[in-house]
Amino acid sequence: MPAFSGWPKEALTFLADLEANNDRDWFKANRGRYDASCAEPALALGADLSDLGTPKLFRPWNDTRFRPGPPLKEHVGLAVGYEGAGGWYVQLALDGVMIAAGLHSPKPDQVARLRAAIDDGRKAAALTRGLAVARAAGLTLNDPDLLRVPRGFDADHPRAELLRRRSLTVSVTMPPAAWLHKPAAYAHIRESLDAATPMVNWLRRHVGPTQATSR
């Protein structure tokens, strides 16, 4: 049986209160509510999804050193499996649960390998099939990043729309419903994650982690 039994209703109540009181002192005074209703269920979900890869619960704090904004994130974010260069993401917010997967903010060498694999008709065929599985499950492909195909590719390339993307992700947001607070939440979330898995596996096979060394 999965350890994750859904998020309690208090999770959405907490996020609504946080939206109205987004400051550090309020959060410190209510940290116990966050841990019990938001973080602990997310960690349980991550443990249940560990067959996909290493789970990572994002910190609640925003980095405001270089970008002004509220000090706290008004959602709970869980990433799974990004050590393989393509992974899955689950986010709880007041508008519901967002399920996403793919390759987000890739490094230049990853973009180069992504474009080369899309250009290769044989390799791209498996990607096309994977995207079809995701779309059939209600997930939507991200918008193109470029207005036209990158330099070096024909404007009438058969996969021009895919070549115009630097990132390659699919996502769906499921509005809050009764299942969110029950053990059935795991099956709802897992179904969407599994629908994105063929695309994620393709990214891992043909793009992989960045080979650039950090300075």
Side-chain angles (χ1 to χ4, degrees), residues 79 125 174 193:
M174 297 180 283
L193 295 174

Side-chain angles (χ1 to χ4, degrees), residues 22 24 61-73:
N22 196 321
R24 292 178 180 271
W61 308 101
N62 280 319
D63 187 349
T64 57
R65 291 175 298 174
F66 308 109
R67 181 181 300 176
L72 291 146
K73 299 170 184 173

Side-chain angles (χ1 to χ4, degrees), residues 15-122:
L15 291 175
D17 291 345
L18 174 60
E19 187 178 75
N21 301 276
N22 196 321
D23 67 73
R24 292 178 180 271
D25 289 339
W26 182 90
F27 182 77
K28 289 177 181 178
N30 289 270
R31 180 63 188 256
R33 292 175 61 198
Y34 165 80
D35 288 341
S37 66
C38 296
E40 290 175 8
L43 290 170
L45 176 60
D48 288 338
L49 297 174
S50 60
D51 62 297
L52 298 176
T54 303
K56 174 187 176 183
L57 179 64
F58 287 96
R59 298 171 67 248
W61 308 101
N62 280 319
D63 187 349
T64 57
R65 291 175 298 174
F66 308 109
R67 181 181 300 176
L72 291 146
K73 299 170 184 173
E74 295 174 353
H75 62 264
V76 181
L78 174 73
V80 181
Y82 277 87
E83 70 279 0
W88 300 262
Y89 179 74
V90 181
Q91 176 178 292
L92 175 70
L94 286 176
D95 62 349
V97 177
M98 182 180 76
I99 308 296
L103 183 64
H104 179 66
S105 298
K107 299 297 183 183
D109 65 306
Q110 293 176 296
V111 174
R113 290 194 296 275
L114 174 63
R115 289 173 176 169
I118 291 172
D119 186 41
D120 185 314
R122 182 174 297 179

Side-chain angles (χ1 to χ4, degrees), residues 123-213:
K123 292 178 181 178
L127 173 61
T128 300
R129 292 192 296 270
L131 290 174
V133 172
R135 289 190 177 106
L139 285 85
T140 302
L141 184 62
N142 64 302
D143 292 332
D145 301 291
L146 305 175
L147 293 176
R148 52 184 60 88
V149 297
R151 184 178 303 173
F153 298 94
D154 293 337
D156 59 352
H157 193 285
R159 290 171 295 283
E161 285 297 299
L162 290 176
L163 286 170
R164 289 169 54 206
R165 291 170 169 82
R166 291 178 55 85
S167 297
L168 193 67
T169 62
V170 292
S171 64
V172 62
T173 297
M174 297 180 283
W179 60 260
L180 179 61
H181 313 299
K182 300 177 180 179
Y186 177 79
H188 281 271
I189 292 169
R190 186 66 193 239
E191 182 178 9
S192 293
L193 295 174
D194 286 345
T197 295
M199 183 196 72
V200 173
N201 287 341
W202 186 92
L203 288 166
R204 291 181 167 192
R205 184 178 306 114
H206 297 295
V207 179
T210 181
Q211 303 301 312
T213 56

Side-chain angles (χ1 to χ4, degrees), residues 1-5 48 183 186:
M1 291 291 291
F4 175 66
S5 58
D48 288 338
Y186 177 79

